[in-house]
Amino acid sequence: MSPTNYNSFLISYRNSSTTAILLSFSFQIPKTKFSINNTNTKQHRSSSFAFTILSASSLSLVADMDAAPSVGLYPLHRCKTIHLVRHAQGFHNVAGEKDHSAYMSPDLFDAQLTPLGWDQVDNLRKHVHSSGLSRGVELVVVSPLLRTMQTAVGVFGGEGYVDGIDVPPLMAENTGDSNRPAISSLNSPPFVAMELCREHLGVHWCDKRRSVSEYKPLFPAIDFSLIENDADTLWELEVREANEHVAERGLKFLNWLWTREETEIAVVTHSGFLIHTLAAFGNDCHPSVKAEICRQFSNCELRSVVIVDKSMIGSSSSKTDYPGKIPSGPDAPSDDADEKK
């Protein structure tokens, strides 16, 4: 298989440690039935890339490794910070924990957040503001289901909506019988709904979405333009999407993120999508690092990672590099002079 058929990335998990373990591998992403409207994305030369993962771990881990840790250095403009968020508790989570067969009930169609789920949203919102994370997020990408969109706008949206402000609300009042006030889009990043980061498709009614035309009045400031069909044509009553296919479209989704101009992006999605997307990583590192990467997400949990473009998918130039030599003048390095002696 030709190298151009492979995909290459780096993902770095951020935590309080100072040691990094580096690993890399390649794989091919098969074609899927998902397609992407690139209207709002930049041009890129290739739809394929290769993945490398840089996972932070504790200093004590180094002593357990046979080999010394590797350190990677990459241009800043080849990096993106991604904040991965699982939606807050939905009514389907409560029903499914009591009886797994409840997921097959039409009563849980496009399940909304529970009151406890909204409390989780409020607490995560406090965290992203107190930590300063909210100031850096340039885009929020969200799975187009009620529970993920409620979570996304509750965490990353503006304050309560006030009549007379000439901006559309991110969420209308009492959306999903939530008894919540409208949420403003004022001073918030743009929000984009994306099918690629949905939960497993099929069978479970909680994972079937409403029509886009139903969502638009509920979430007026969310951009639904990347969703091709008004109705949910991806969900099938009798066929549950295979884990392998979820993983494939997860990698396709990460590829799509590289077509965006933004360098710090929040993604609000689902447990199954995150588990099977991240499962491809960490096989060549210490088992505890693999476990850290692939650990299941709790409701309304946020983890931050860095992805690095190693194969020239992105074409943007650096916004911080400075060329130097302005004004121009002699600048021969001193070691060159030593070599000429």
Side-chain angles (χ1 to χ4, degrees), residues 7-309:
N7 293 338
S8 155
F9 261 135
L10 177 148
I11 292 187
S12 171
Y13 266 76
R14 290 181 172 182
N15 60 20
S16 59
S17 69
T18 57
T19 301
I21 309 302
L22 180 67
L23 59 144
S24 63
F25 50 88
S26 299
F27 43 80
Q28 188 179 34
I29 298 179
K31 294 182 178 178
T32 70
K33 62 182 177 180
F34 284 85
S35 60
I36 301 173
N37 179 346
N38 281 320
T39 303
N40 297 325
T41 60
K42 66 186 178 184
Q43 295 296 316
H44 56 97
R45 281 178 289 226
S46 171
S47 62
S48 63
F49 53 93
F51 258 125
T52 307
I53 296 183
L54 184 66
S55 178
S57 183
S58 66
L59 282 172
S60 61
L61 177 62
V62 179
D64 298 330
M65 300 293 288
D66 293 332
S70 299
V71 175
L73 188 151
Y74 303 91
L76 181 61
H77 70 282
R78 298 290 175 192
C79 306
K80 290 182 188 290
T81 299
I82 311 297
H83 304 290
L84 301 172
V85 180
R86 181 191 175 192
H87 64 79
Q89 185 194 70
F91 281 99
H92 68 301
N93 295 132
V94 178
E97 187 161 326
K98 294 177 181 177
D99 178 7
H100 188 269
S101 66
Y103 290 126
M104 274 70 83
S105 171
D107 293 339
L108 291 176
F109 167 57
D110 195 18
Q112 70 258 26
L113 297 185
T114 65
L116 186 145
W118 277 108
D119 288 343
Q120 293 172 341
V121 167
D122 292 339
N123 285 327
L124 180 54
R125 179 182 179 84
K126 291 175 185 176
H127 167 73
V128 300
H129 281 272
S130 64
S131 66
L133 185 152
S134 60
R135 293 192 294 272
V137 173
E138 302 169 80
L139 176 72
V140 178
V141 183
V142 59
S143 165
L145 281 100
L146 192 56
R147 60 189 181 270
T148 40
M149 291 189 287
Q150 287 177 320
T151 301
V153 301
V155 172
F156 297 103
E159 301 298 333
Y161 186 75
V162 179
D163 289 337
I165 297 179
D166 192 23
V167 293
L170 276 166
M171 187 182 81
E173 183 179 3
N174 199 36
T175 290
D177 298 322
S178 62
N179 197 32
R180 301 281 292 199
I183 297 175
S184 175
S185 61
L186 188 66
N187 299 322
S188 70
F191 285 66
V192 176
M194 183 57 158
E195 298 263 41
L196 280 175
C197 62
R198 284 178 62 175
E199 184 58 288
H200 283 81
L201 300 167
V203 181
H204 294 181
W205 280 86
C206 56
D207 300 327
K208 179 176 173 60
R209 70 166 172 84
R210 301 167 197 265
S211 67
V212 172
S213 57
E214 289 179 86
Y215 283 142
K216 284 184 174 180
L218 301 177
F219 301 96
I222 292 182
D223 180 1
F224 293 94
S225 64
L226 296 181
I227 298 179
E228 294 185 349
N229 299 298
D230 184 56
D232 188 357
T233 60
L234 300 174
W235 188 91
E236 299 178 42
L237 180 60
E238 303 294 335
V239 181
R240 184 70 170 167
E241 185 179 16
N243 294 341
E244 294 79 7
H245 188 269
V246 177
E248 289 167 9
R249 64 177 169 88
L251 299 177
K252 189 174 183 180
F253 173 73
L254 291 174
N255 193 8
W256 173 78
L257 287 180
W258 265 114
T259 71
R260 301 293 310 192
E261 293 284 352
E262 298 87 358
T263 59
E264 187 163 353
I265 301 172
V267 176
V268 184
T269 180
H270 307 266
S271 174
F273 175 82
L274 290 165
I275 288 171
H276 295 295
T277 299
L278 297 177
F281 306 109
N283 294 322
D284 295 343
C285 65
H286 192 280
S288 64
V289 179
K290 171 72 174 180
E292 178 185 356
I293 294 171
C294 300
R295 177 171 52 85
Q296 183 169 331
F297 277 68
S298 300
N299 281 130
C300 221
E301 181 178 354
L302 180 153
R303 297 183 209 165
S304 298
V305 302
V306 175
I307 58 176
V308 177
D309 175 15

